[in-house]
Amino acid sequence: FTDAESLFHDASDEDKLSTSFYFSYASACERAGDLSKAETLFKKVLELDPDNHLAANYLGYMWAEQGEHLDRARTMIERAVKAEPNNAAFLDSLGWVYFRRGDADKAIEYIRRAIVAMDHDDAILRDHLGDAYLMKGDVKRAISEWRRARRLDPKLEGVQEKIEKHSKKLEKVG
Protein backbone atom coordinates (compact mmCIF):
# COMPACT_ATOMS: atom_id res chain seq x y z
CA PHE A 1 0.00 0.00 0.00
CA THR A 2 2.90 2.35 0.63
CA ASP A 3 4.05 1.91 -2.98
CA ALA A 4 0.50 2.48 -4.19
CA GLU A 5 0.24 5.62 -2.08
CA SER A 6 3.45 6.93 -3.65
CA LEU A 7 2.12 6.29 -7.17
CA PHE A 8 -1.18 7.97 -6.36
CA HIS A 9 0.65 10.96 -4.91
CA ASP A 10 2.72 11.35 -8.08
CA ALA A 11 -0.39 11.17 -10.25
CA SER A 12 -2.44 13.58 -8.13
CA ASP A 13 -0.96 16.63 -9.85
CA GLU A 14 -3.05 15.91 -12.94
CA ASP A 15 -6.02 18.19 -13.58
CA LYS A 16 -9.63 17.11 -13.11
CA LEU A 17 -9.02 13.67 -11.64
CA SER A 18 -12.04 11.49 -11.11
CA THR A 19 -13.63 10.78 -7.75
CA SER A 20 -12.74 7.12 -8.19
CA PHE A 21 -9.07 8.10 -8.37
CA TYR A 22 -9.32 10.10 -5.13
CA PHE A 23 -11.30 7.32 -3.48
CA SER A 24 -8.67 4.73 -4.44
CA TYR A 25 -5.88 7.04 -3.33
CA ALA A 26 -7.63 7.67 0.01
CA SER A 27 -8.16 3.95 0.53
CA ALA A 28 -4.48 3.25 -0.17
CA CYS A 29 -3.46 5.96 2.28
CA GLU A 30 -5.74 4.57 4.98
CA ARG A 31 -4.37 1.06 4.51
CA ALA A 32 -0.80 2.42 4.60
CA GLY A 33 -1.63 4.12 7.90
CA ASP A 34 -1.67 7.71 6.68
CA LEU A 35 -5.07 8.54 8.15
CA SER A 36 -4.68 12.29 7.85
CA LYS A 37 -4.04 12.08 4.10
CA ALA A 38 -6.89 9.55 3.73
CA GLU A 39 -9.28 11.91 5.52
CA THR A 40 -8.27 14.81 3.27
CA LEU A 41 -8.80 12.72 0.14
CA PHE A 42 -12.15 11.29 1.25
CA LYS A 43 -13.29 14.85 1.94
CA LYS A 44 -12.14 15.74 -1.59
CA VAL A 45 -14.28 12.93 -3.00
CA LEU A 46 -17.28 14.22 -1.04
CA GLU A 47 -16.59 17.77 -2.17
CA LEU A 48 -16.66 16.62 -5.80
CA ASP A 49 -19.56 14.21 -5.27
CA PRO A 50 -21.59 14.85 -2.09
CA ASP A 51 -23.70 11.75 -2.81
CA ASN A 52 -20.72 9.38 -2.89
CA HIS A 53 -21.99 7.02 -0.20
CA LEU A 54 -18.95 4.76 -0.39
CA ALA A 55 -16.65 7.65 0.54
CA ALA A 56 -19.04 8.87 3.25
CA ASN A 57 -19.17 5.40 4.75
CA TYR A 58 -15.42 4.85 4.54
CA LEU A 59 -14.63 8.21 6.16
CA GLY A 60 -17.34 7.75 8.79
CA TYR A 61 -16.10 4.28 9.69
CA MET A 62 -12.51 5.53 9.78
CA TRP A 63 -13.56 8.22 12.24
CA ALA A 64 -15.49 5.68 14.32
CA GLU A 65 -12.43 3.44 14.48
CA GLN A 66 -10.48 6.41 15.83
CA GLY A 67 -13.32 7.47 18.14
CA GLU A 68 -13.43 10.90 16.47
CA HIS A 69 -16.17 13.08 14.97
CA LEU A 70 -18.80 10.51 15.94
CA ASP A 71 -21.78 12.81 15.34
CA ARG A 72 -20.55 13.70 11.85
CA ALA A 73 -19.70 10.06 11.17
CA ARG A 74 -23.21 8.98 12.20
CA THR A 75 -24.85 11.59 9.97
CA MET A 76 -22.74 10.63 6.96
CA ILE A 77 -23.29 6.92 7.40
CA GLU A 78 -27.02 7.35 8.06
CA ARG A 79 -27.30 9.07 4.66
CA ALA A 80 -25.49 6.13 3.08
CA VAL A 81 -27.80 3.65 4.83
CA LYS A 82 -30.84 5.64 3.71
CA ALA A 83 -29.62 5.42 0.11
CA GLU A 84 -28.74 1.70 0.40
CA PRO A 85 -30.66 0.22 3.35
CA ASN A 86 -29.43 -3.33 2.76
CA ASN A 87 -25.74 -2.53 2.31
CA ALA A 88 -24.06 -4.67 4.98
CA ALA A 89 -20.92 -2.51 5.10
CA PHE A 90 -22.97 0.64 5.70
CA LEU A 91 -25.09 -1.07 8.37
CA ASP A 92 -22.00 -2.37 10.16
CA SER A 93 -20.39 1.06 10.03
CA LEU A 94 -23.46 2.63 11.59
CA GLY A 95 -23.48 -0.08 14.24
CA TRP A 96 -19.83 0.63 14.95
CA VAL A 97 -20.51 4.35 15.35
CA TYR A 98 -23.21 3.53 17.90
CA PHE A 99 -20.78 1.18 19.63
CA ARG A 100 -18.19 3.95 19.88
CA ARG A 101 -20.89 6.27 21.25
CA GLY A 102 -21.65 3.71 23.98
CA ASP A 103 -25.11 2.72 22.70
CA ALA A 104 -24.95 -1.08 22.85
CA ASP A 105 -28.57 -1.66 21.86
CA LYS A 106 -28.32 0.41 18.67
CA ALA A 107 -24.93 -1.15 17.88
CA ILE A 108 -26.39 -4.65 18.20
CA GLU A 109 -29.41 -3.68 16.09
CA TYR A 110 -27.35 -2.41 13.15
CA ILE A 111 -24.61 -5.03 13.30
CA ARG A 112 -27.24 -7.79 13.34
CA ARG A 113 -28.94 -6.16 10.34
CA ALA A 114 -25.55 -6.14 8.59
CA ILE A 115 -25.11 -9.86 9.27
CA VAL A 116 -28.56 -10.61 7.83
CA ALA A 117 -27.78 -8.50 4.75
CA MET A 118 -24.59 -10.46 4.00
CA ASP A 119 -24.69 -13.36 1.58
CA HIS A 120 -22.16 -15.17 3.82
CA ASP A 121 -21.20 -15.05 7.47
CA ASP A 122 -18.39 -12.63 8.32
CA ALA A 123 -15.79 -12.84 11.09
CA ILE A 124 -15.38 -9.09 11.54
CA LEU A 125 -19.12 -8.56 11.89
CA ARG A 126 -19.28 -11.36 14.46
CA ASP A 127 -16.35 -9.79 16.32
CA HIS A 128 -18.13 -6.42 16.32
CA LEU A 129 -21.32 -8.06 17.55
CA GLY A 130 -19.41 -9.76 20.35
CA ASP A 131 -17.95 -6.41 21.39
CA ALA A 132 -21.43 -4.86 21.44
CA TYR A 133 -22.84 -7.71 23.54
CA LEU A 134 -19.97 -7.29 25.98
CA MET A 135 -20.74 -3.57 26.23
CA LYS A 136 -24.32 -4.50 27.04
CA GLY A 137 -23.08 -6.85 29.76
CA ASP A 138 -24.05 -10.10 28.01
CA VAL A 139 -20.72 -11.90 28.35
CA LYS A 140 -22.08 -15.31 27.28
CA ARG A 141 -23.40 -13.96 23.98
CA ALA A 142 -20.20 -11.96 23.45
CA ILE A 143 -18.07 -15.08 23.85
CA SER A 144 -20.40 -17.01 21.55
CA GLU A 145 -20.02 -14.38 18.82
CA TRP A 146 -16.25 -14.22 19.23
CA ARG A 147 -16.04 -18.03 18.97
CA ARG A 148 -18.04 -17.84 15.79
CA ALA A 149 -15.71 -15.13 14.48
CA ARG A 150 -12.71 -17.32 15.31
CA ARG A 151 -14.22 -20.30 13.46
CA LEU A 152 -14.78 -18.09 10.42
CA ASP A 153 -11.27 -16.58 10.57
CA PRO A 154 -8.88 -18.28 13.03
CA LYS A 155 -6.28 -15.55 12.43
CA LEU A 156 -8.53 -12.57 13.20
CA GLU A 157 -6.48 -10.39 15.50
CA GLY A 158 -7.50 -10.11 19.13
CA VAL A 159 -10.45 -12.49 19.11
CA GLN A 160 -8.76 -15.39 20.91
CA GLU A 161 -7.53 -13.03 23.60
CA LYS A 162 -11.05 -11.70 24.17
CA ILE A 163 -12.43 -15.24 24.45
CA GLU A 164 -9.78 -16.24 26.98
CA LYS A 165 -10.05 -13.07 29.05
CA HIS A 166 -13.81 -13.06 29.32
CA SER A 167 -14.17 -16.82 29.68
CA LYS A 168 -11.99 -16.59 32.80
CA LYS A 169 -14.19 -13.81 34.16
CA LEU A 170 -17.29 -15.84 33.43
CA GLU A 171 -15.82 -18.89 35.25
CA LYS A 172 -15.12 -16.78 38.34
CA VAL A 173 -18.69 -15.48 38.41
CA GLY A 174 -20.38 -18.76 37.52
Side-chain angles (χ1 to χ4, degrees):
F1 291 109
T2 303
D3 291 341
E5 181 190 4
S6 177
L7 290 172
F8 282 122
H9 183 270
D10 292 344
S12 66
D13 293 332
E14 300 295 320
D15 290 336
K16 298 182 182 179
L17 295 173
S18 70
T19 56
S20 62
F21 169 84
Y22 286 116
F23 182 92
S24 297
Y25 186 8
S27 178
C29 289
E30 185 270 337
R31 291 174 190 228
D34 189 347
L35 302 181
S36 177
K37 181 75 169 184
E39 180 177 341
T40 298
L41 291 164
F42 281 127
K43 286 178 178 178
K44 177 74 173 173
V45 172
L46 293 168
E47 178 185 311
L48 295 170
D49 179 7
D51 293 327
N52 189 313
H53 303 300
L54 290 173
N57 178 69
Y58 206 133
L59 180 57
Y61 183 80
M62 199 173 82
W63 282 339
E65 275 290 289
Q66 297 170 26
E68 297 177 351
H69 314 294
L70 295 177
D71 289 335
R72 288 172 54 200
R74 188 192 73 221
T75 300
M76 289 170 42
I77 297 168
E78 282 175 341
R79 282 192 5 227
V81 168
K82 186 175 180 182
E84 295 182 41
N86 293 317
N87 184 310
F90 297 173
L91 292 166
D92 177 56
S93 294
L94 189 53
W96 203 239
V97 167
Y98 281 114
F99 174 82
R100 292 295 193 179
R101 292 172 55 104
D103 189 337
D105 290 327
K106 283 283 202 182
I108 290 167
E109 174 189 341
Y110 281 98
I111 296 166
R112 288 182 73 188
R113 283 179 56 191
I115 289 169
V116 169
M118 295 284 290
D119 58 357
H120 62 282
D121 212 347
D122 183 84
I124 293 173
L125 294 181
R126 293 295 177 173
D127 181 34
H128 284 177
L129 188 56
D131 292 348
Y133 277 126
L134 180 66
M135 177 185 282
K136 187 175 174 127
D138 192 339
V139 178
K140 285 183 182 180
R141 286 183 107 170
I143 292 170
S144 175
E145 293 300 334
W146 292 326
R147 284 183 175 148
R148 196 165 186 172
R150 190 185 64 203
R151 282 192 304 272
L152 292 166
D153 182 356
K155 296 179 183 178
L156 187 60
E157 189 175 325
V159 173
Q160 184 60 40
E161 292 81 2
K162 291 182 211 179
I163 293 168
E164 290 171 6
K165 176 182 176 182
H166 295 287
S167 292
K168 288 177 185 175
K169 286 182 182 179
L170 199 57
E171 289 171 7
K172 288 180 184 178
V173 173

